[in-house]
């Protein structure tokens, strides 16, 4: 069992940066892949970034590649999403997710634990 809690969202101007954190509880987090997804109003939830359980493999959506970086500190049971050069189209609720199988990837259906989300708003 893994519980996830996101933090770090807020309001930022276009071109600015935010770092989201995902604090996990539960003994299986270090063996779980972690992913970030987002959902804008009126749109479906979409993949943003993912990192395998050992940090060896990372995936990024084309829309954020080069601007966002996913990382994790298993010793602290925490994952991060560093977001730079933010654009108004990045505005969404951002969700952290964990895949206890360790594989992760881009498909939301692979993730069995989800946080409640944190709002990110980018003004133009």
């Amino acid at each position: 069992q893994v519980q996830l809690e996101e933090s770090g969202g807020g309001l930022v101007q276009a071109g600015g940066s935010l770092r989201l954190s995902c604090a996990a509880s539960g003994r299986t987090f270090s063996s779980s892949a972690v992913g970030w997804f987002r959902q804008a109003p009126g749109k479906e939830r979409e993949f943003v970034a993912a990192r395998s359980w050992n940090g060896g493999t990372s995936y990024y959506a084309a829309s954020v590649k080069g601007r966002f970086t996913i990382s994790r500190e298993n010793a602290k049971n925490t994952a991060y999403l560093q977001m730079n050069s933010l654009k108004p189209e990045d505005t969404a609720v951002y969700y952290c997710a964990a895949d206890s199988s360790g594989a992760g990837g881009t498909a939301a259906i692979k993730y069995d634990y989800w946080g409640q989300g944190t709002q990110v708003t980018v003004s133009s």
Side-chain angles (χ1 to χ4, degrees):
Q1 191 81 0
V2 178
Q3 291 81 42
L4 305 172
E5 183 173 0
E6 304 92 339
S7 63
L11 173 65
V12 64
Q13 288 188 331
S17 299
L18 282 175
R19 188 176 80 156
L20 304 184
S21 297
C22 175
S25 60
R27 291 180 290 178
T28 60
F29 178 75
S30 61
S31 62
S32 299
V34 65
W36 287 94
F37 292 78
R38 66 187 182 187
Q39 188 167 19
K43 295 187 178 181
E44 294 188 353
R45 190 171 297 189
E46 65 173 359
F47 168 76
V48 175
R51 196 167 179 94
S52 59
W53 71 273
N54 62 356
T57 305
S58 297
Y59 306 89
Y60 294 94
S63 60
V64 306
K65 197 168 186 179
R67 300 188 297 123
F68 291 11
T69 303
I70 186 172
S71 60
R72 62 187 300 166
E73 291 187 74
N74 286 343
K76 295 184 178 180
N77 268 11
T78 304
Y80 306 96
L81 185 68
Q82 177 67 42
M83 306 186 295
N84 299 329
S85 302
L86 283 161
K87 304 175 181 180
E89 50 263 45
D90 294 318
T91 295
V93 177
Y94 282 71
Y95 298 90
C96 174
D99 169 15
S100 58
S101 78
T106 63
I109 197 171
K110 292 186 177 181
Y111 293 83
D112 38 5
Y113 301 104
W114 292 82
Q116 293 300 307
T118 185
Q119 176 70 47
V120 171
T121 303
V122 184
S123 63
S124 57

